[in-house]
Amino acid sequence: MNALLLGIKLQFKMDIRSKTLLVTCYLVPLLFFAVMGGIFTSLMPEAKNTLIQSMTVMGVSMGALAGVPPSIVEIYGTDIKKMYSANGIPMYFGLVSLFVSAFIHIMVMGLIIFAAAPIIFHASIPSNLPLYFLALALFIIVSLSIACILGLAVKSQAKLTMYSQIIFLPSIMLSGIMFPAEFLPKILENIGKLFPATWGYILLSQNNRSSSAFIPLFIILFTAVILNSILLKKIRSS
């Protein structure tokens, strides 16, 4: 356990110096928030009611899907994997360290949006804060789980960028944060329900959250955990 905590600490410090993480977890999401927040609230004053939620969903999706997979490839697609095997380090060590570090960074980004939106754009604060942050934590975990699948399954950085965008762009366009999902054709609305961003936005935007509203994210998380376990076993045996 001490070794794992030390690994998380070291990974967190490395991520702070990472230009990729700086861009995907902080710079781009916060710039998008600053620009689009003003546009949304100017064109649609009612957007203030869900501005925190919509900007947070975009930031989490960007940080997880675009920022984390390249870092995973740097671990499991290079000689670092061989160092793990040679020193008897569990193969999941790097993945867990990176996962926890990314969770902290993305949560910090979400807190910045949460604190800044009411001040800059007079956005409405969610009424049930404990449930809001519980839903946010779950959404981040699920998004990172999907990012881990990408990082473990795709070895080429060029292909990884393509696959990340294939998941990221529909996540944003079909989730309802840009415009109500009800405006989409039924088939696209249903496709959007396959992505965590859609359910994350639904959960974050609701004041009264029933337990059933969490089920889709738990299903995606359960599936992602199984796939990540299979991919780690495959990497260990290769």
Side-chain angles (χ1 to χ4, degrees), residues 46 99 126 143 229 236:
E46 66 276 8
F99 188 102
S143 298
S229 299
R236 185 167 58 244

Side-chain angles (χ1 to χ4, degrees), residues 211-234:
S211 58
S212 61
F214 288 85
I215 292 177
L217 283 180
F218 277 117
I219 292 174
I220 297 173
L221 177 61
F222 178 74
T223 304
V225 169
I226 293 176
L227 291 175
N228 278 307
S229 299
I230 294 173
L231 289 169
L232 278 175
K233 289 181 180 179
K234 184 178 179 180

Side-chain angles (χ1 to χ4, degrees), residues 26-37:
Y26 292 103
L27 186 59
V28 173
L30 294 178
L31 182 61
F32 183 87
F33 160 68
V35 175
M36 297 305 296

Side-chain angles (χ1 to χ4, degrees), residues 9-191:
K9 181 179 179 181
L10 292 175
Q11 185 65 51
F12 183 79
K13 291 181 177 180
M14 291 171 59
D15 287 342
I16 291 177
R17 299 182 179 91
S18 170
K19 292 181 180 180
T20 299
L21 186 137
L22 174 65
V23 171
T24 57
C25 283
Y26 292 103
L27 186 59
V28 173
L30 294 178
L31 182 61
F32 183 87
F33 160 68
V35 175
M36 297 305 296
I39 294 174
F40 281 0
T41 53
S42 297
L43 298 179
M44 301 175 292
E46 66 276 8
K48 296 178 181 180
N49 297 328
T50 57
L51 185 65
I52 292 176
Q53 294 87 337
S54 60
M55 295 297 102
T56 300
V57 166
M58 190 278 173
V60 171
S61 299
M62 168 64 75
L65 298 175
V68 173
S71 298
I72 296 176
V73 172
E74 289 178 2
I75 295 175
Y76 293 98
T78 63
D79 291 338
I80 296 178
K81 181 190 71 172
K82 297 179 181 178
M83 293 173 57
Y84 282 3
S85 300
N87 292 278
I89 300 174
M91 198 57 64
Y92 64 80
F93 187 90
L95 191 67
V96 173
S97 300
L98 185 59
F99 188 102
V100 175
S101 175
F103 177 90
I104 295 172
H105 283 293
I106 293 175
M107 180 62 79
V108 169
M109 179 272 299
L111 290 173
I112 292 174
I113 292 176
F114 178 84
I119 298 173
I120 300 175
F121 302 116
H122 306 289
S124 300
I125 298 175
S127 60
N128 194 329
L129 293 183
L131 281 176
Y132 172 83
F133 285 109
L134 176 63
L136 176 58
L138 176 60
F139 174 48
I140 294 174
I141 290 172
V142 174
S143 298
L144 287 173
S145 299
I146 301 297
C148 289
I149 294 174
L150 287 171
L152 293 175
V154 184
K155 299 300 186 292
S156 168
Q157 289 284 5
K159 292 182 179 180
L160 183 61
T161 300
M162 179 183 68
Y163 286 124
S164 296
Q165 292 302 317
I166 287 174
I167 296 178
F168 171 69
L169 292 177
S171 295
I172 299 303
M173 299 305 297
L174 305 180
S175 63
I177 70 170
M178 305 295 290
F179 44 80
E182 294 80 10
F183 290 177
L184 294 167
K186 198 64 178 179
I187 185 172
L188 292 180
E189 184 179 354
N190 290 331
I191 291 174

